């Protein structure tokens, strides 16, 4: 998905999978999912592979369901630690107990929203051969990293779908939307724009709302479950409320910073021209490899550094574009697999990436450096991470050279073979 401290670890535990198409039209979605279920066994090499995918999906459901217990356990330690100091010192902070009570109440409010997400857990239960209830009942340990991703998803809701996140969206989505409108001044559903790594799908929605056909692609079940609720089961503005910063206890100017309430979405997701938005869940390389020259434009935001091999992403993006089509990109180069011993990570500078563009027949038309962008920033915190991003536009000038695809699972097999 996106880069930034909230999502750096998002790629660690995600499996390679194809799961059902997700449409804004809920009935069409259900129909597509039903059709997919009848042939879901064809998507996997073996029942064991299906079971592993089911276990992975159920681990995400368990993480969402475990959210309040996880938070209360942390808060209980805070309370215990505070009570361990001398009474004379505790008396200096008379409102500490009240603060903890408010923190627990905020977590309860967040869990109300999470329950709404889990009401649609069946959507991605795509195998007819797996008893998902049985998988969920297994006593498997929840990974600490998954709990961080649940909390990150709550912050993403603020960033993508609230008034509070508008400034950040203007920084990173704004240049992409402006460039698309310049390149394609007469919006039409016949102009097909792909947004891989779309997270909670706000950029996809913004493009579709202008009259283009926009398709989002996302890999993370954390993002997919939440975006399904927002796109398919949300009928008006500000239906939901969360406290996305209640878990953060450091770098605060005041306790009130933890209790910042965010209402969303700031728009009605249903207010779109008919059939201008679609979502496809699964691995970008696996799903789109055969869609040669089917897209007018590919828009990427905080995405290309999610690759094991960024050159492979460039090759695939070029392959997807029609001759004369455009790739519009914005983001940093915070390589998500950097430092992971079990993962291949090709980490290039921007100048090295530029050197690859010509080989794949992508001509650089626009290059802007040092474009500032923050990520899920809280204005009342003492710490701020700001990226200095690259903003670019390329045009595909002729057909992409034919090469053997080298997606990450092939790379890992080669790596394993060498060992």
């Amino acid at each position: 998905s996106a880069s930034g401290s909230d999502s750096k670890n998002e790629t660690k535990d995600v499996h390679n999978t194809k799961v059902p198409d997700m449409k804004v039209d809920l009935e069409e979605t259900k129909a597509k999912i039903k059709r997919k279920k009848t042939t879901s066994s064809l998507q996997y090499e073996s029942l064991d592979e299906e079971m592993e995918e089911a276990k992975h999906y159920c681990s995400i459901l368990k993480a969402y369901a475990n959210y309040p217990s996880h938070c209360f356990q942390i808060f209980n330690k805070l309370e215990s630690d505070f009570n361990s100091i001398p009474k004379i010192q505790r008396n200096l902070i008379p409102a500490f107990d009240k603060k903890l009570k408010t923190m627990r109440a905020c977590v309860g409010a967040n869990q109300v929203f999470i329950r709404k997400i889990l009401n649609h857990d069946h959507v991605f239960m795509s195998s007819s051969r797996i008893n998902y209830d049985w998988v969920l009942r297994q006593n498997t340990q929840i990974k600490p990293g998954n709990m961080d991703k649940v909390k990150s998803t709550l912050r993403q809701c603020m960033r993508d779908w609230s008034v509070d996140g508008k400034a950040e969206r203007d920084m990173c989505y704004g240049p992409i939307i402006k460039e698309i409108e310049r390149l394609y001044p007469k919006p039409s559903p016949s102009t097909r724009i792909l947004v891989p790594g779309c997270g909670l799908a706000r950029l996809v929605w913004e493009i579709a709302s202008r009259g283009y056909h926009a398709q989002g692609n996302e890999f993370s079940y954390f993002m997919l479950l939440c975006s399904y609720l927002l796109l398919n089961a949300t009928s008006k503005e500000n239906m939901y409320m969360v406290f996305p910063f209640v878990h953060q206890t450091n770098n605060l100017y005041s306790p009130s910073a933890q209790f910042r309430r965010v209402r969303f979405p700031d728009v009605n997701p249903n207010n779109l021209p008919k059939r201008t938005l679609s979502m496809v869940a699964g691995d970008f390389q696996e799903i789109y490899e055969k869609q040669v020259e089917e897209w007018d434009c590919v828009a990427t935001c905080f995405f290309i550094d999610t690759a094991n091999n960024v050159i492979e992403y460039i090759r695939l993006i070029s392959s997807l574009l029609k001759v004369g089509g455009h790739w519009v990109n914005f983001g940093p180069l915070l390589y998500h697999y950097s430092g992971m011993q079990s993962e291949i990570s090709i980490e290039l500078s921007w100048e090295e990436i530029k050197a690859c563009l010509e080989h794949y027949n992508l001509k650089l038309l626009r290059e802007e450096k040092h474009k500032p962008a923050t990520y899920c920033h809280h204005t009342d915190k003492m710490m701020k991470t700001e990226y200095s991003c690259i903003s670019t536009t390329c045009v595909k000038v002729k057909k992409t050279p034919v090469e053997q695809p080298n997606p990450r699972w092939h790379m890992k097999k080669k790596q394993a073979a060498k060992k």
Side-chain angles (χ1 to χ4, degrees):
S1 274
S3 295
S5 57
D6 278 336
S7 59
K8 164 122 178 162
N9 295 324
E10 183 66 26
T11 52
K12 283 186 179 179
D13 303 315
V14 181
H15 292 194
N16 299 325
T17 181
K18 288 182 181 177
V19 289
D21 284 5
M22 207 167 49
K23 297 285 183 179
V24 170
D25 186 312
L26 184 57
E27 293 308 313
E28 185 175 344
T29 303
K30 290 178 178 177
K32 278 184 171 288
I33 291 168
K34 187 174 181 181
R35 290 196 296 273
K36 279 280 189 180
K37 281 186 175 179
T38 63
T39 59
S40 63
S41 63
L42 300 178
Q43 300 176 39
Y44 301 92
E45 294 179 1
S46 67
L47 181 58
D48 287 344
E49 190 181 68
E50 270 186 90
M51 178 57 76
E52 285 304 309
E53 189 58 39
K55 287 179 180 178
H56 172 64
Y57 178 59
C58 288
S59 73
I60 274 72
L61 299 180
K62 283 186 175 183
Y64 269 123
N66 188 59
Y67 166 77
S69 298
H70 166 78
C71 292
F72 293 157
Q73 186 176 5
I74 293 172
F75 296 168
N76 289 345
K77 184 180 185 303
L78 289 174
E79 185 174 36
S80 175
D81 289 350
F82 184 75
N83 289 334
S84 72
I85 66 177
K87 184 176 180 180
I88 192 170
Q89 294 179 355
R90 296 200 304 272
N91 290 341
L92 297 174
I93 316 293
F96 191 82
D97 289 343
K98 182 180 179 181
K99 180 174 78 167
L100 283 172
K101 185 177 180 179
T102 305
M103 289 166 66
R104 292 185 175 104
C106 291
V107 166
N110 289 348
Q111 183 62 10
V112 170
F113 173 66
I114 287 172
R115 285 197 198 104
K116 295 180 188 299
I117 292 175
L118 292 177
N119 285 342
H120 302 280
D121 59 2
H122 62 282
V123 171
F124 299 104
M125 294 179 178
S126 55
S127 172
S128 60
R129 302 195 293 175
I130 299 295
N131 183 335
Y132 287 90
D133 289 335
W134 179 86
V135 178
L136 283 166
R137 288 196 301 270
Q138 302 312 297
N139 187 23
T140 54
Q141 187 174 3
I142 298 171
K143 298 177 181 178
N146 279 355
M147 298 315 306
D148 291 338
K149 293 168 191 175
V150 172
K151 291 181 275 192
S152 173
T153 302
L154 296 175
R155 293 191 290 272
Q156 284 284 137
C157 289
M158 179 202 73
R159 172 180 164 87
D160 258 22
W161 289 99
S162 77
V163 171
D164 303 64
K166 184 179 184 303
E168 284 196 359
R169 294 196 301 273
D170 288 346
M171 287 181 190
C172 57
Y173 299 163
I176 293 174
I177 294 167
K178 181 180 178 181
E179 186 68 356
I180 288 172
E181 290 179 324
R182 184 186 72 81
L183 294 168
Y184 306 97
K186 297 180 179 179
S188 166
S190 63
T191 302
R192 304 181 72 236
I193 300 174
L194 176 63
V195 186
C198 65
L200 294 185
R202 182 58 183 262
L203 178 57
V204 189
W205 188 91
E206 290 289 351
I207 294 170
S209 71
R210 287 159 171 77
Y212 307 98
H213 175 78
Q215 182 171 103
N217 166 237
E218 180 53 49
F219 193 40
S220 165
Y221 281 131
F222 289 98
M223 297 286 109
L224 289 165
L225 282 160
C226 187
S227 63
Y228 184 90
L229 171 69
L230 290 165
L231 294 175
N232 292 290
T234 303
S235 58
K236 61 182 180 181
E237 298 176 14
N238 296 323
M239 278 184 65
Y240 312 117
M241 176 185 72
V242 295
F243 295 84
F245 300 105
V246 66
H247 329 95
Q248 299 185 358
T249 56
N250 53 13
N251 288 312
L252 302 175
Y253 284 107
S254 72
S256 61
Q258 279 183 272
F259 310 135
R260 180 176 174 181
R261 181 178 64 183
V262 173
R263 292 189 179 276
F264 63 99
D266 61 331
V267 294
N268 182 347
N270 286 329
N271 290 342
L272 285 175
K274 192 173 181 180
R275 303 198 181 283
T276 55
L277 190 153
S278 62
M279 287 282 289
V280 176
D283 182 87
F284 172 57
Q285 293 171 270
E286 184 178 359
I287 289 175
Y288 290 96
E289 182 58 49
K290 296 181 180 179
Q291 297 189 22
V292 177
E293 297 190 357
E294 293 188 11
W295 296 91
D296 298 289
C297 180
V298 176
T300 54
C301 185
F302 277 67
F303 175 69
I304 63 171
D305 55 359
T306 66
N308 290 82
N309 177 2
V310 65
I311 301 174
E312 183 63 20
Y313 269 19
I314 294 168
R315 182 202 64 80
L316 180 54
I317 289 169
S318 173
S319 173
L320 293 172
L321 289 170
K322 301 172 183 176
V323 175
H326 297 89
W327 172 26
V328 183
N329 176 64
F330 185 96
L333 294 173
L334 178 71
Y335 289 102
H336 285 209
Y337 293 100
S338 180
M340 296 186 195
Q341 293 301 312
S342 62
E343 295 283 354
I344 290 172
S345 183
I346 307 302
E347 300 166 24
L348 305 179
S349 69
W350 169 239
E351 290 299 321
E352 290 170 317
I353 289 174
K354 280 172 63 176
C356 301
L357 298 177
E358 184 178 357
H359 173 76
Y360 292 107
N361 295 324
L362 293 168
K363 181 180 178 181
L364 187 62
L365 299 179
R366 179 183 64 90
E367 176 186 16
E368 297 179 65
K369 297 179 181 178
H370 307 296
K371 302 289 287 185
T374 55
Y375 205 92
C376 295
H377 174 60
H378 191 327
T379 54
D380 294 326
K381 287 197 69 175
M382 298 177 187
M383 188 179 77
K384 177 182 180 181
T385 300
E386 183 175 278
Y387 296 96
S388 180
C389 298
I390 192 77
S391 179
T392 59
T393 302
C394 294
V395 61
K396 179 175 173 177
V397 293
K398 57 183 178 181
K399 288 184 176 295
T400 306
V402 177
E403 296 179 6
Q404 182 68 29
N406 192 29
R408 69 164 171 265
W409 54 91
H410 288 179
M411 296 170 72
K412 292 183 76 171
K413 284 179 182 177
K414 289 179 181 178
Q415 190 181 51
K418 288 180 181 179
K419 293 180 180 178

